[in-house]
Amino acid sequence: MTKIGVLGLQGAIREHVQSIEASGAEAIVIKKKEQLDEIDGLVLPGGESTTMRRLMNQYDFVTPLQQFGKQGKPIFGTCAGLILLAKEIVGQEESHLGLMDIKVERNAFGRQRESFEGKLKIKGIADDFEAVFIRAPYIVEIGQQVEELATNQGKCVAAREGHYLCSAFHPELTGDHRLMQYFVSMVKESKKHLAS
Amino acid sequence: MANVGTDRVKRGMAEMQKGGVIMDVVNAEQAKIAEEAGAVAVMALERVPSDIRAAGGVARMADPTIVEEVMNAVSIPVMAKARIGHIVEARVLESMGVDYIDESEVLTPADEIYHLNKKDYTVPFVCGCRDLGEAARRIGEGASMLRTKGEPGTGNIVEAVRHMREVQAQVRKLVTMSSDEIMTFAKELGAPFEVLVDIKENGRLPVVNFAAGGVATPADAALMMQLGADGVFVGSGIFKSDEPAKFAKAIVEATTHFDDYELIAKVSKGIGTAMKGIEISTIAPEQRMQDRGW
């Protein structure tokens, strides 16, 4: 069975586990870097990106996560996870994992009182996806290899670059598993490809 | 397409805090120490609970200058406390763009009968609870997050443990009940029936429930996580310890790895002395903060 990890340092871990299981894959909560060897794909959940980064530093997670991605194994980042994946962050000198060729702005839609939900069109995945944005970032610039999958108020809020996928909203907070199913199929394809 | 202040948006914000530590701070400098240590949010207030307890008198919403100073100092979410039932303090904090309001028994209540109707607000609220009845009443009023009351400012975990165990035990009891027993259970608890039906159907509370009120050490934080807390609030425990920066980091790590005892031992070494605690039985009944709110 396809095994997908959820980085379990902090944030909406349980919701992603449920979503992965509902999408027909096995979910594993990753708290130690050694566990990365067991999985075919990884979800970086929503939460607080600064907190996750502190804990990633503490447990030497940064390099193993970068290697995981560079092996060609798929990674899906939601909200804080998107920030962790980005190569560039507005107003910060350093990025975190820097795996995806995107420039992001944190809390770009505003503070909590500006947080919102609504229907979203995601290219090739859904016309009416229920998207929940919480103190959400958006993508300011994308690299040439990056495909924009969704926009809200003219801002890029979901994208794919090869085996990397990201969303500024929280698919795990709704019962809508279509984006996770899309990621699970990305992981299945990469598993076949890496095995051959 | 924008729908602000929906249940999903308000409760979802608290879901993102899970597994994390929310720290009380009284100025920008402390807020930065908390963020640097890996706090998922900070609670901006004028005095930490142990100082409120020591000072006596009426405890109110913090001076907006302090709240603003903290909001400008960090990029993580900022929470602030309003008095129970104080509609205007809550509205003022909401207008400032605070990310979460704690309708808190740590402050002197403004209303001895009614809590806020939290459904009216765009900003989400966290409220304290000692049992499922109290938890369900707050959810019924629109709280998007819960925390145990514990006994704030004591550095004594015993009350937080009592409250967490009580809520968990009552949720388990409810989940195993047959449907025709729920109304009577609602009557006994003084809880809204619909909230109990929802909990029974889903097998758990509809909002996250953090531990608060007495967490003083990394082991305390890990204990509360083992008892089923979704995360931890630390009030006086950090900035009343000898070495706040070290204590804050250690509590964050112990919360993440609450079942890794070797790690908790390691992070608990060389971090100095915890805050001095207070035995609950030495606190006069009228000074027990947990009895505020209803």
Side-chain angles (χ1 to χ4, degrees):
Chain A
M1 199 176 191
T2 305
K3 289 185 186 173
I4 298 181
V6 181
L7 187 67
L9 296 176
Q10 190 271 318
I13 299 156
R14 179 182 66 213
E15 289 74 9
H16 273 300
V17 166
Q18 285 165 350
S19 188
I20 290 167
E21 287 170 352
S23 304
E26 187 183 336
I28 299 172
V29 177
I30 306 293
K31 283 196 161 196
K32 302 259 159 82
K33 59 188 175 193
E34 295 75 24
Q35 292 173 284
L36 291 172
D37 299 336
E38 302 167 27
I39 53 173
D40 308 306
L42 178 70
V43 173
L44 304 174
E48 283 306 319
S49 61
T50 46
T51 304
M52 286 191 226
R53 177 58 197 268
R54 296 284 173 273
L55 292 166
M56 277 162 51
N57 285 353
Q58 200 72 36
Y59 307 124
D60 303 320
F61 248 115
V62 177
T63 310
L65 284 171
Q66 285 169 332
Q67 283 166 352
F68 183 88
K70 283 171 185 164
Q71 283 167 34
K73 292 193 174 177
I75 303 180
F76 177 20
T78 64
C79 196
L82 172 151
I83 295 166
L84 294 179
L85 278 176
K87 229 171 219 162
E88 213 179 327
I89 303 167
V90 174
Q92 285 180 215
E93 281 181 17
E94 277 181 47
S95 63
H96 303 295
L97 298 175
L99 290 170
M100 249 183 117
D101 193 7
I102 53 175
K103 182 174 178 181
V104 303
E105 181 161 354
R106 294 181 63 202
N107 304 335
F109 288 104
R111 300 190 73 97
Q112 174 60 20
R113 67 176 172 188
E114 281 88 35
S115 296
F116 62 97
E117 62 173 283
K119 297 260 191 280
L120 194 67
K121 185 174 161 46
I122 308 176
K123 211 163 132 190
I125 298 170
D127 285 336
D128 55 351
F129 195 87
E130 289 179 62
V132 181
F133 291 83
I134 295 173
R135 288 171 49 93
Y138 57 64
I139 300 167
V140 185
E141 282 171 27
I142 58 172
Q144 282 187 339
Q145 304 302 314
V146 182
E147 186 188 9
E148 180 178 272
L149 296 179
T151 59
N152 179 280
Q153 298 163 56
K155 309 294 182 186
C156 176
V157 292
R160 177 176 176 176
E161 180 182 7
H163 59 294
Y164 300 128
L165 180 69
C166 66
S167 71
F169 50 91
H170 293 281
E172 74 278 14
L173 289 182
T174 67
D176 194 335
H177 301 300
R178 286 176 288 181
L179 192 54
M180 184 57 81
Q181 284 159 1
Y182 178 81
F183 180 64
V184 170
S185 59
M186 277 171 62
V187 176
K188 284 181 177 163
E189 277 167 36
S190 98
K191 201 178 162 185
K192 259 190 249 166
H193 180 75
L194 292 173
S196 64
Chain B
M1 75 157 254
N3 266 326
V4 298
T6 62
D7 273 352
R8 252 192 334 215
V9 166
K10 294 201 279 191
R11 291 175 178 181
M13 157 76 198
E15 301 284 350
M16 297 310 139
Q17 303 266 297
K18 278 189 302 195
V21 182
I22 299 168
M23 302 181 190
D24 278 4
V25 299
V26 300
N27 55 40
E29 184 200 348
Q30 290 187 353
K32 282 182 182 150
I33 291 173
E35 184 176 48
E36 185 58 35
V40 289
V42 289
M43 176 78 73
L45 62 175
E46 215 158 294
R47 287 190 290 241
V48 296
S50 67
D51 287 340
I52 290 175
R53 195 175 277 288
V58 174
R60 310 179 180 91
M61 171 185 86
D63 179 341
T65 319
I66 294 177
V67 178
E68 206 171 70
E69 181 189 316
V70 170
M71 285 169 68
N72 291 335
V74 293
S75 66
I76 54 177
V78 176
M79 301 186 171
K81 289 184 195 288
R83 281 181 269 178
I84 291 172
H86 205 308
I87 300 165
V88 173
E89 284 188 354
R91 286 294 183 195
V92 166
L93 292 172
E94 182 181 51
S95 78
M96 293 176 66
V98 162
D99 295 299
Y100 235 92
I101 297 177
D102 186 359
E103 187 183 19
S104 178
E105 69 282 0
V106 168
L107 306 182
T108 312
D111 191 322
E112 293 193 322
I113 303 172
Y114 303 114
H115 281 252
L116 294 167
N117 177 21
K118 293 165 276 287
K119 289 187 172 156
D120 272 358
Y121 296 75
T122 305
V123 65
F125 281 83
V126 54
C127 287
C129 64
R130 289 165 298 181
D131 54 41
L132 182 57
E134 208 168 17
R137 288 192 291 280
R138 298 295 86 78
I139 293 167
E141 292 158 356
S144 308
M145 178 181 192
L146 295 169
R147 54 171 174 74
T148 59
K149 285 182 164 175
E151 189 55 41
T154 60
N156 188 338
I157 199 68
V158 67
E159 295 301 303
V161 167
R162 187 194 318 281
H163 301 158
M164 185 56 72
R165 281 198 181 273
E166 186 65 19
V167 171
Q168 301 275 358
Q170 287 174 320
V171 168
R172 281 193 296 270
K173 186 176 168 191
L174 171 60
V175 169
T176 58
M177 274 182 175
S178 81
S179 296
D180 47 15
E181 294 168 336
I182 298 177
M183 185 58 86
T184 301
F185 194 44
K187 185 184 161 199
E188 284 167 12
L189 294 177
F193 174 73
E194 292 72 19
V195 174
L196 295 194
V197 170
D198 176 59
I199 295 169
K200 177 170 168 57
E201 280 172 2
N202 293 299
R204 59 182 184 85
L205 292 169
V207 300
V208 304
N209 187 16
F210 272 45
V215 177
T217 65
D220 285 348
L223 169 64
M224 295 313 298
M225 294 300 287
Q226 287 206 1
L227 291 176
D230 290 308
V232 179
F233 281 89
V234 188
S236 322
I238 289 169
F239 291 99
K240 287 288 160 187
S241 71
D242 274 0
E243 299 199 52
K246 286 185 181 172
F247 243 81
K249 276 193 185 121
I251 289 179
V252 168
E253 284 199 55
T255 303
T256 306
H257 292 284
F258 59 86
D259 52 3
D260 184 339
Y261 308 113
E262 284 174 15
L263 185 138
I264 296 169
K266 199 176 98 194
V267 302
S268 302
K269 282 180 199 159
I271 55 173
T273 312
M275 70 178 281
K276 188 176 182 304
I278 303 173
E279 164 55 34
I280 305 295
S281 62
T282 63
I283 305 171
E286 65 275 14
Q287 281 167 7
R288 284 160 55 119
M289 291 172 174
Q290 60 175 283
D291 295 331
R292 297 165 168 178
W294 19 90

